[in-house]
Amino acid sequence: MQTSATVGPGEEPPSMLWGLDPVFSAFARLYIKDILHMTESIQVPGIYFYNSHPIYKVDVLGTVVYRREREDFFCYGVDDGTGVINCLCWKNELWKDQGDSGKSGGKHTDGAQGGFNLVTELKKLRQAQQSSCRLEIGELLRVRGPVKTSRQQREIMASTYYKVNDPVMAVQIAWMMEVPQLYRQCYDKPLQLQPAATGYSRPSLNMPSQWITMLASAISSLSQATQIVRNFLKQKSVSKFRPYDVQGLLEPLVSGQTDGASTDKEPVAGPSSGQRVRQLLKEVLQILQDEGVVFRKVKSQDELYHVTEQDKDLLIAVKDVIREDSRREKYAEKGCHILHILSAVRQRYSPNVSKVALELVLKSLECNSDIVSTSSNHYTMF
């Protein structure tokens, strides 16, 4: 009998199980909006999660909206209609050999007049490949490669990229029909750690059923614990707390696991219930920090956590930054960019405020009509 464990949204499965998800080894065809909002793994940097699916390489089709060229690479801004992402496209050896090809071509042009000229054909092939890699604004680009975060901005390090000739938009229409199906059939479905009991099992899955059951129990406990702490902070309108203030909330989860365990076996040495509660609380607090729900204003031995949306000083600091800088000529038209606000808040209030925490604050202020967004990343005062 096989045991199935489903990973819910916002949960990160253990890294040893990532290979069980076929999305992990494929180029995920995600919308750029979702690529920009994926959460990065706390276990392995450079791995991201969409709906608990581990992802590190993507496949994107979009229009070039800006370009920069350097000696070794092109930098394209690609827009698929949901967002814009930066794509770093390295030049291959063909670009470096461009000068040498002209010198060698002159030696052989007279060798086969009226027939097949190998050097000429190679030169044409090189020119065709170069033209497919050099794009102008408005042209269609397809990019495949791993996702990276550089200077707090998400970008794609292209392993393959080329210009798509699509005069009648046939490629784009096929893409727009295929991607929603992938979302419905794969990306938006929760990750199954183990196939259901249908008589089929993966040949590569060599894991005892006890391990799967324990893993499912651990994931379920972490999810319940995170929700318990989140609900407590929201219902009690907590603005600050220390770990021991909420530790007692998680003790029933650990004691329940201990009471439900079989007692007809000899006791095995392991962590005490207190140690398990502290470890569980540590993981919960890390998840809440990654989501921006809580943060530590000052990192010291005194583990004092601030609840982002209840921190009035943080809300005031963000409003002051937007109010003051929106009056400057530079930000008068579009407002302040979120990264500018983040930098100013870190200097003025705390260097430990994360971007996701700031996004929660901006959303709360906008809901209260304290600020208004002029674009997806710009904010100003009324």
Side-chain angles (χ1 to χ4, degrees):
M1 177 179 175
Q2 295 179 342
T3 306
S4 176
T6 302
V7 182
E11 298 178 3
E12 181 174 327
S15 58
M16 64 178 293
L17 298 178
W18 292 350
L20 300 180
D21 189 349
V23 176
F24 182 63
S25 57
F27 287 93
R29 295 187 180 184
L30 295 173
Y31 294 121
I32 289 177
K33 175 190 68 175
D34 294 327
I35 297 174
L36 295 174
H37 289 89
M38 290 191 302
T39 56
E40 189 168 9
S41 170
I42 59 177
Q43 302 174 65
V44 181
I47 305 297
Y48 301 85
F49 286 91
Y50 175 80
N51 197 19
S52 298
H53 291 284
I55 291 170
Y56 75 97
K57 52 186 182 179
V58 294
D59 188 354
V60 168
L61 177 72
T63 304
V64 176
V65 294
Y66 68 82
R67 66 182 295 271
R68 295 198 310 270
E69 181 177 357
R70 297 292 184 266
E71 182 179 355
D72 295 325
F73 63 88
F74 295 102
C75 186
Y76 295 116
V78 180
D79 184 353
D80 70 344
T82 67
V84 180
I85 193 169
N86 191 51
C87 300
L88 194 63
C89 305
W90 293 94
K91 297 179 180 179
N92 57 25
E93 296 298 325
L94 292 174
W95 292 89
K96 299 178 181 179
D97 297 341
Q98 185 177 9
D100 299 336
S101 63
K103 299 177 182 178
S104 60
K107 299 179 182 179
H108 303 279
T109 51
D110 300 330
Q113 294 181 355
F116 180 79
N117 190 317
L118 178 61
V119 175
T120 302
E121 297 302 321
L122 287 175
K123 186 176 180 180
K124 291 180 181 179
L125 177 61
R126 181 178 290 110
Q127 291 174 347
Q129 289 178 320
Q130 290 177 354
S131 65
S132 69
C133 297
R134 184 192 296 274
L135 284 83
E136 300 297 333
I137 292 177
E139 293 184 318
L140 196 63
L141 175 66
R142 184 168 181 180
V143 180
R144 282 184 164 194
V147 181
K148 301 291 182 183
T149 300
S150 176
R151 298 184 296 276
Q152 297 184 339
Q153 290 187 340
R154 201 70 51 84
E155 62 184 15
I156 301 174
M157 305 290 290
S159 56
T160 304
Y161 67 99
Y162 57 88
K163 178 169 62 177
V164 178
N165 294 318
D166 192 24
V168 296
M169 301 186 70
V171 176
Q172 296 177 71
I173 292 173
W175 184 278
M176 287 187 289
M177 294 179 66
E178 181 180 1
V179 172
Q181 292 183 3
L182 289 173
Y183 270 83
R184 286 192 297 267
Q185 298 173 5
C186 184
Y187 305 142
D188 285 340
K189 288 188 176 180
L191 172 60
Q192 295 287 340
L193 297 177
Q194 175 79 352
T198 58
Y200 169 79
S201 61
R202 295 175 185 263
S204 61
L205 184 60
N206 186 20
M207 183 179 295
S209 60
Q210 306 96 292
W211 291 15
I212 296 293
T213 303
M214 292 171 59
L215 179 61
S217 175
I219 293 175
S220 176
S221 297
L222 181 58
S223 176
Q224 292 180 39
T226 305
Q227 194 61 40
I228 288 173
V229 175
R230 185 185 285 112
N231 290 340
F232 172 77
L233 298 177
K234 184 176 181 179
Q235 293 171 3
K236 301 297 183 181
S237 299
V238 179
S239 60
K240 302 176 185 177
F241 69 94
R242 291 177 174 82
Y244 57 75
D245 295 326
V246 295
Q247 182 172 319
L249 300 172
L250 307 184
E251 290 178 354
L253 288 177
V254 175
S255 61
Q257 292 177 357
T258 305
D259 296 340
S262 176
T263 57
D264 56 358
K265 297 182 180 179
E266 295 183 2
V268 180
S272 64
S273 59
Q275 291 174 325
R276 292 201 299 273
V277 170
R278 287 190 292 271
Q279 179 61 32
L280 180 60
L281 178 59
K282 182 179 178 181
E283 295 175 2
V284 167
L285 293 175
Q286 184 61 53
I287 290 175
L288 294 178
Q289 286 187 87
D290 294 338
E291 294 177 352
V293 177
V294 302
F295 72 98
R296 294 178 62 185
K297 183 178 179 181
V298 179
K299 291 188 176 180
S300 62
Q301 292 183 348
D302 181 20
E303 289 189 63
L304 179 63
Y305 289 85
H306 292 243
V307 180
T308 304
E309 295 186 70
Q310 297 294 333
D311 192 334
K312 295 182 179 179
D313 292 336
L314 176 58
L315 297 176
I316 293 173
V318 173
K319 286 196 293 185
D320 288 346
V321 169
I322 298 176
R323 180 186 300 107
E324 294 170 8
D325 290 355
S326 294
R327 296 171 181 170
R328 296 166 56 184
E329 184 178 354
K330 181 178 180 181
Y331 305 108
E333 183 178 353
K334 292 187 66 177
C336 302
H337 193 276
I338 185 173
L339 295 181
H340 169 76
I341 301 172
L342 179 63
S343 176
V345 169
R346 284 176 172 174
Q347 294 178 12
R348 180 176 302 195
Y349 184 70
S350 169
N352 300 320
V353 177
S354 65
K355 184 181 177 183
V356 287
L358 177 61
E359 288 173 346
L360 288 180
V361 173
L362 293 172
K363 184 178 179 181
S364 175
L365 292 174
E366 190 172 13
C367 289
N368 294 330
S369 299
D370 293 320
I371 62 173
V372 61
S373 59
T374 58
S375 71
S376 59
N377 292 313
H378 291 82
Y379 297 86
T380 188
M381 302 294 290
F382 277 107

